[in-house]
Amino acid sequence: MMTSTPNQNSRQFSKQLKLGVLFYRLYYAPKGFVTSLMREGLLDRAINNKARTQMERAAYSLKPLPISTAPAFDIHFLTGKKFWYQTCFCAYSMAQYSPIPLRPVIHDDGSLAQAYQDELHRIFPNVQIILHSEIEDRIESYLPIAKFPSLRERRSNYPHMRKITDIHAGSTGWKLVLDSDMLFFRSPTLLTDWLQSPQHPCHMIDIEPSYGYSKTLMTELAQATIADQLNVGICGLNSNEIDWEQLEFWCKTLIEQQGTHYYQEQALVAMLMAGKSCTIAPIQDYIVKPDREEAIDPQAVLHHYVADSKPWYFRYAWKHIAAL
């Protein structure tokens, strides 16, 4: 019986990658654009694009944070060309309201040009930037294609997967990973307490179940109860506790049985946290998809601007942080 060699696996992976990228460009990207345009409308899209540009320009005016001599606690972001300014606003807002010193740890998604790195260093003097080349070397060492073909394929075709692979593979210890499209408006005591003494995984609550896969299948694979509405805008995990061979099997099985999905990363994290005692951010203080009124006059600790709340993020919310 013939077995595939690593070179054959690599060629097969490369072929799958090219086909996946082509299919995305010819089908999903145009379809997503049309759907988004129909939902927003031409005028609203123009207004939102202008507001987004204003937010990006405003990042260049954020004042550098003071250098602290006290030990800082790390907060992790995956970012690049499209989201670097949102990362700046999120980390900046958390630092402004945090009772403890923080250090942003930036994981380059492959598009973090030197100009963006320079701005990150300017705003956050203690920032750590882990470049794409270093991440690629680590991925090759700890998640080789021959052994982890599903995770590697998803990592290439589905950038959200990098929030798991690129931040945790080959690493150790607890990490708090934050989405860039979030802002803090009050002291995040829950998170700063967690950073100082992490004992359990940490997450926030979604507005509805958003996994893309049936809870029956997820429960069967995880052999534990899946949280109803886990949201990974806030995601605290211990890198040591991730069983990568198990994660590869879950990823492969989910796709084989129910296809790929935009929320697969969230589904996999929900499975990693299944059955475990977790630190859960209160839904009234850590809001997913805030409405317009809340964005204009924030009452919560944090907003996660997903889906239809994006316009309020770009039109109103960031300006509260720029004014600090």
Side-chain angles (χ1 to χ4, degrees):
M1 182 176 180
M2 296 183 63
T3 58
S4 298
T5 66
N7 284 338
Q8 288 172 327
N9 285 332
S10 180
R11 286 195 296 270
Q12 183 179 8
F13 172 79
S14 179
K15 183 178 180 181
Q16 291 174 340
L17 172 58
K18 290 176 181 177
L19 288 173
V21 171
L22 180 63
F23 190 61
Y24 174 82
R25 289 177 177 172
L26 294 178
Y27 178 73
Y28 283 110
K31 180 182 178 183
F33 174 78
V34 171
T35 301
S36 175
L37 186 59
M38 290 176 64
R39 185 176 64 246
E40 283 185 270
L42 285 172
L43 180 58
D44 279 345
R45 174 168 283 256
I47 293 171
N48 294 337
N49 285 340
K50 181 179 179 180
R52 185 184 294 109
T53 300
Q54 289 174 339
M55 180 181 180
E56 182 167 4
R57 288 175 180 169
Y60 290 96
S61 298
L62 289 174
K63 298 175 183 177
L65 292 176
I67 299 174
S68 173
T69 57
F73 294 86
D74 291 343
I75 50 174
H76 294 259
F77 296 89
L78 174 72
T79 197
K81 177 181 179 179
K82 291 184 178 179
F83 306 107
W84 73 273
Y85 63 99
Q86 297 180 30
T87 302
C88 288
F89 270 94
C90 181
Y92 193 84
S93 66
M94 186 175 183
Q96 291 284 14
Y97 291 107
S98 173
I100 60 174
L102 301 175
R103 178 179 72 157
V105 179
I106 306 299
H107 302 258
D108 175 15
D109 69 3
S111 65
L112 193 66
Q114 187 62 52
Y116 308 133
Q117 296 177 40
D118 291 344
E119 277 303 299
L120 284 160
H121 280 292
R122 181 188 68 80
I123 300 167
F124 309 100
N126 67 342
V127 70
Q128 179 185 5
I129 299 177
I130 304 175
L131 295 177
H132 185 63
S133 57
E134 179 182 341
I135 295 171
E136 287 294 315
D137 290 342
R138 183 157 36 84
I139 292 296
E140 288 298 329
S141 296
Y142 290 93
L143 297 178
I145 293 173
K147 189 174 181 180
F148 300 96
S150 296
L151 287 174
R152 290 294 298 273
E153 184 278 328
R154 286 288 79 201
R155 178 180 180 267
S156 294
N157 288 326
Y158 171 60
H160 289 280
M161 187 64 74
R162 297 182 178 216
K163 288 165 57 184
I164 302 175
T165 58
D166 291 22
I167 294 176
H168 292 286
S171 187
T172 60
W174 289 96
K175 293 177 180 63
L176 184 67
V177 182
L178 302 176
D179 279 0
S180 294
D181 58 347
M182 305 197 302
L183 294 172
F184 291 82
F185 301 99
R186 282 168 177 71
S187 178
T189 307
L190 179 94
L191 299 184
T192 54
D193 286 350
W194 186 93
L195 283 168
Q196 293 174 89
S197 182
Q199 303 293 325
H200 311 287
C202 178
H203 67 83
M204 59 193 304
I205 301 173
D206 216 326
I207 55 171
E208 61 185 6
S210 300
Y211 299 131
Y213 298 93
S214 71
K215 286 185 69 176
T216 300
L217 176 58
M218 292 169 64
T219 301
E220 180 183 341
L221 290 171
Q223 292 294 293
T225 302
I226 305 294
D228 288 333
Q229 295 172 211
L230 181 147
N231 181 279
V232 293
I234 294 170
C235 183
L237 284 172
N238 189 338
S239 300
N240 301 73
E241 296 179 357
I242 298 177
D243 183 333
W244 293 100
E245 291 185 2
Q246 181 185 63
L247 199 66
E248 167 70 15
F249 175 71
W250 287 351
C251 182
K252 176 176 179 288
T253 305
L254 288 173
I255 294 171
E256 286 179 344
Q257 296 199 22
Q258 297 182 359
T260 59
H261 200 280
Y262 177 80
Y263 290 121
Q264 188 176 17
E265 170 237 354
Q266 191 153 273
L268 289 171
V269 170
M271 293 164 69
L272 288 171
M273 295 187 183
K276 297 180 180 179
S277 176
C278 291
T279 299
I280 303 173
I283 195 168
Q284 69 274 14
D285 292 327
Y286 295 79
I287 300 178
V288 176
K289 194 180 171 184
D291 59 24
R292 181 175 180 271
E293 289 70 26
E294 173 65 21
I296 292 174
D297 183 21
Q299 301 300 308
V301 171
L302 171 140
H303 294 168
H304 188 190
Y305 300 95
V306 301
D308 294 339
S309 65
K310 290 288 188 189
W312 321 138
Y313 174 48
F314 292 122
R315 296 185 194 186
Y316 313 114
W318 64 268
K319 296 177 182 179
H320 298 292
I321 309 306
L324 292 175

